[in-house]
Amino acid sequence: MTHILVTGSSRGIGAAIADALTAPDVTVIRHGTASGIAADFADPAAPARLWDAAFAQSGGRIDVLINNAGVFDANPIDRDDSDWADGWARTMQINLTAAAALCRLAVRHWRSAARGGRIINIASRAAHRGDSPDHWHYAASKAGMVAMTKTIARGYARDGILAFAICPGFTMTGMADDYLASRGGDKLLADIPLGRVAEPAEVAAAARFCALEAPPSMTGAVLDVNGASYVR
């Protein structure tokens, strides 16, 4: 039995990932306010509480960690200084620092048990090409997630610990719907050669592959799911 912890699994990409992983030999432990174990990642202590609860629920074994939880809040540069700093800090805490805390707990668990595991971090196209002027912090948090993934892959491959990052472009979730509307909708879609945004199930298919099927030599890979709107 493979035990997989998926953060931010109440809706959107996270829910699609949890659904895609459903199988007789897989146990999915969900995190989220609408379903699963509740944990507010704005609280620095929340990742450890989530890990402990998931560990107990799984019977003391987690084999795969999928960090999907995140926020996409605008933070214009003309806000009050303290408000801008607070907005930056909140996004970094939820998107990057909480994921890092869970990665640390997972790596320590696998090393102490002398067995491998897999980490899949859901980053963003913004990690490579940036984002809007109101979303410096979001792009920075996702770039940090990619760098963290590569560092884990390089540092712990010999322990059988594998790490992958997935970088979706716009995906048909509530966050993307609002952003597309604010940025002109059809005009923004013109920047996507495929002619449409990704479906959550497409991102979920990539996550499932990394979690269950990707060969070990792929560790450190960053997979793009963006309709060729950014190619490397």
Side-chain angles (χ1 to χ4, degrees):
M1 182 67 68
T2 300
H3 301 279
I4 303 177
L5 172 59
V6 183
T7 72
S9 63
S10 294
R11 60 187 179 91
I13 291 172
I17 290 172
D19 291 344
L21 290 167
T22 301
D25 58 345
V26 175
T27 297
V28 178
I29 304 153
R30 295 176 178 246
H31 153 253
T33 53
S35 63
I37 303 168
D40 181 0
F41 284 171
D43 176 1
R49 288 199 298 267
L50 170 63
W51 179 265
D52 289 345
F55 199 70
Q57 184 174 314
S58 68
R61 177 165 180 161
I62 295 174
D63 302 290
V64 181
L65 167 65
I66 302 180
N67 281 310
N68 168 75
V71 292
F72 186 74
D73 299 329
N75 197 30
I77 62 172
D78 58 359
R79 294 179 75 188
D80 176 82
D81 288 352
S82 62
D83 290 341
W84 184 86
D86 288 346
W88 181 282
R90 180 174 185 273
T91 288
M92 296 299 284
Q93 169 61 38
I94 294 171
N95 290 8
L96 179 57
T97 306
L102 287 168
C103 287
R104 172 178 174 266
L105 290 166
V107 169
R108 292 181 64 181
H109 165 54
W110 295 324
R111 293 187 81 193
S112 66
R115 63 167 178 262
R118 295 187 178 216
I119 292 169
I120 297 93
N121 288 321
I122 308 301
S124 170
R125 178 187 72 171
H128 300 297
R129 60 169 272 175
D131 211 288
S132 81
D134 289 346
H135 293 89
W136 295 7
H137 55 333
Y138 177 80
S141 71
K142 295 302 185 178
M145 182 174 269
V146 169
M148 177 176 70
T149 302
K150 293 179 179 181
T151 302
I152 292 169
R154 289 177 57 81
Y156 304 103
R158 290 185 180 180
D159 297 310
I161 297 169
L162 313 179
F164 309 88
I166 298 173
C167 290
F170 291 117
T171 307
M172 193 53 68
T173 67
M175 287 193 301
D177 291 345
D178 293 342
Y179 186 74
L180 283 168
S182 72
R183 301 285 288 172
D186 291 342
K187 292 181 181 178
L188 191 147
L189 287 176
D191 189 41
I192 305 175
L194 187 61
R196 64 170 177 82
V197 300
E199 295 293 335
E202 294 179 293
V203 183
R208 185 185 190 284
F209 172 72
C210 291
L212 299 175
E213 301 173 19
S217 288
M218 271 188 64
T219 190
V222 180
L223 283 68
D224 297 320
V225 187
N226 64 45
S229 58
Y230 184 82
V231 295
R232 297 178 288 126

